[in-house]
Amino acid sequence: MKLSPSCQNHPTPFYYYDLGLLKETLRTLLRESGKYGYQVHYAIKANANPRLLKLISHEGLGADCVSGNEISRALECGFPANRIVYAGVGKSDEEIELALREDIFCFNCESLPEILIIQELAQRLGKKARIALRINPNVDAHTHHYITTGIEENKFGIYLYDLEHVLSEIKNLSQIELIGLHFHIGSQITDMTVFRGLCLRANEILQKLKEQGIVLPHINFGGGLGIDYQQPEQNPIADFKSYFATFSQFFEPAPHQQVHFELGRSVIAQCGHLVAKVLYVKEGKKRKFAILDAGMNDLLRPALYQAFHKIENISSDKPQEKYDVVGPICESADCFGKDVHLNQTQRGDKVVIHSCGAYGETMASRYNLRNVPDSCYSEE
Ligand SMILES: *Cc1c(COP(=O)(O)O)cnc(C)c1O
């Protein structure tokens, strides 16, 4: 990989964003979702960098937010309020009030106690709240257990056995307008049979509701489409075609039912890279360490999820050797990869960690009082 000239001398560590690839990804996404009339909201938590958000809102996507600050950021970056959806198991009163004042499109609600508070706050503000029920469909995403969100043991969504009770309670709430159902079963899912399972479960649930005379205008399938972390350069764009085709084939919407998605990782992951410099090469008896000036505070995914990222030395063309690529932070988890094949590496070489656009910069912290990483952009 090559950095664009504008970023070649940028001080490390920094996130490098390929805006051309982001645009191409968005075009592919819109082409494939457009075939079926689906609406796509970008999940802001994957990357909330304003420059990227402006580009994404400009292409016409909606926004999926999980905090009040994300709603404010989405509005600042050009997402219209009527294209904003808001999820989260623990929405605070202040966050709910902000969303009500801004008249966002829809609250994705995760429990009856939350809905009762929205009712109360909406009444006080003289507002109506459109809501969708986030259903925990009990579909296993077969992904890392930290990013599986749709099985019964975890905190997300309304459990299927509770649905009837919640529906009957909502009927009496004057400020609540139930407009849809919402699902989000996990992340980094590349097996389309998982999404087929979600479609079939959704069909069953909608059929049951229909028997009770309930037909809702909106169905939101959340996000979760995975990307190729192993071969990012061969597969820079996620398989949007198979993803949307799966829903088109297996989900049976009612007439005029609008289908929505909330994609994060698949939109933004491949266009971001973390660029770092090698500070030291340290040789042990059995291992060689390449010690970078970037650490787990800059990119948490390997430490948090044992995530794999492709790593490349872009300064050297010498034969490859094996290194453990680590950061400077006082934690053993501060390791980006073990037994990584890198071109023979020396102090000062630049190393690129691929596929970092999603859940990279947004998770950065100031641990060890380090600076949060800067960013640099390819020319568009
Ligand atoms: C995180 C999240 C998403 C986005 O998930 P990706 O795997 O990044 O596509 C969508 N919806 C909700 C409710 C989320 O929490």
Side-chain angles (χ1 to χ4, degrees), residues 70-95:
E70 283 193 359
I71 294 172
S72 302
R73 175 73 61 89
L75 291 166
E76 282 158 25
C77 292
F79 292 94
N82 65 9
R83 301 290 302 273
I84 292 179
V85 295
Y86 176 26
V89 286
K91 302 175 183 78
S92 74
D93 295 21
E94 293 74 20
E95 290 176 313

Side-chain angles (χ1 to χ4, degrees), residues 38-210:
Y38 295 159
Q39 268 191 38
V40 181
H41 309 271
Y42 167 67
I44 303 242
K45 76 170 191 283
N47 191 319
N49 178 316
R51 175 128 181 214
L52 305 176
L53 290 186
K54 282 176 193 156
L55 211 150
I56 294 168
S57 70
H58 188 77
E59 294 290 326
L61 276 74
D64 165 43
C65 301
V66 291
S67 73
N69 288 347
E70 283 193 359
I71 294 172
S72 302
R73 175 73 61 89
L75 291 166
E76 282 158 25
C77 292
F79 292 94
N82 65 9
R83 301 290 302 273
I84 292 179
V85 295
Y86 176 26
V89 286
K91 302 175 183 78
S92 74
D93 295 21
E94 293 74 20
E95 290 176 313
I96 292 169
E97 282 173 3
L98 169 79
L100 287 169
R101 282 208 189 87
E102 298 292 352
D103 258 323
I104 63 159
F105 171 59
C106 189
F107 291 79
N108 292 329
C109 294
E110 310 221 8
S111 69
L112 186 56
E114 175 198 331
I115 296 167
L116 296 174
I117 292 299
I118 295 175
Q119 156 74 18
E120 194 183 310
L121 296 173
Q123 193 144 39
R124 205 179 301 158
L125 294 175
K127 294 273 189 184
K128 273 238 172 187
R130 283 167 299 275
I131 71 163
L133 299 179
R134 177 172 181 174
I135 307 293
N136 185 321
N138 205 14
V139 173
D140 193 343
H142 297 292
T143 181
H144 190 278
H145 60 283
Y146 281 14
I147 49 176
T148 294
T149 55
I151 50 175
E152 234 159 69
E153 302 125 58
N154 62 46
K155 67 180 176 182
F156 296 101
I158 291 164
Y159 308 113
L160 279 175
Y161 53 76
D162 254 356
L163 181 55
E164 212 151 308
H165 172 63
V166 173
L167 286 169
S168 71
E169 293 290 313
I170 289 176
K171 281 197 195 119
N172 309 319
L173 302 178
S174 56
Q175 314 305 111
I176 299 287
E177 186 191 350
L178 176 64
I179 63 166
L181 296 184
H182 173 246
F183 304 90
H184 173 69
I185 57 171
S187 200
Q188 184 50 23
I189 300 165
T190 49
D191 176 1
M192 294 300 143
T193 64
V194 169
F195 293 118
R196 183 184 67 198
L198 174 60
C199 290
L200 300 181
R201 185 60 51 85
N203 291 342
E204 285 169 26
I205 296 167
L206 292 188
Q207 181 58 36
K208 277 208 193 110
L209 291 183
K210 197 172 153 198

Side-chain angles (χ1 to χ4, degrees), residues 283-341:
E283 301 212 20
K285 274 209 181 96
K286 294 200 185 113
R287 322 194 71 87
K288 235 188 303 203
F289 295 93
I291 301 169
L292 307 185
D293 63 357
M296 64 191 276
N297 75 300
D298 301 297
L299 175 66
L300 185 60
R301 297 190 71 258
L304 184 61
Y305 308 120
Q306 294 103 44
F308 173 87
H309 284 269
K310 187 181 170 190
I311 306 176
E312 183 188 356
N313 181 334
I314 58 167
S315 304
S316 160
D317 49 14
K318 301 200 187 89
Q320 292 201 326
E321 292 180 353
K322 273 200 297 193
Y323 298 86
D324 285 6
V325 180
V326 302
I329 291 177
C330 311
E331 297 281 347
S332 298
D334 187 27
C335 175
F336 294 116
K338 283 190 173 2
D339 292 325
V340 180
H341 291 269

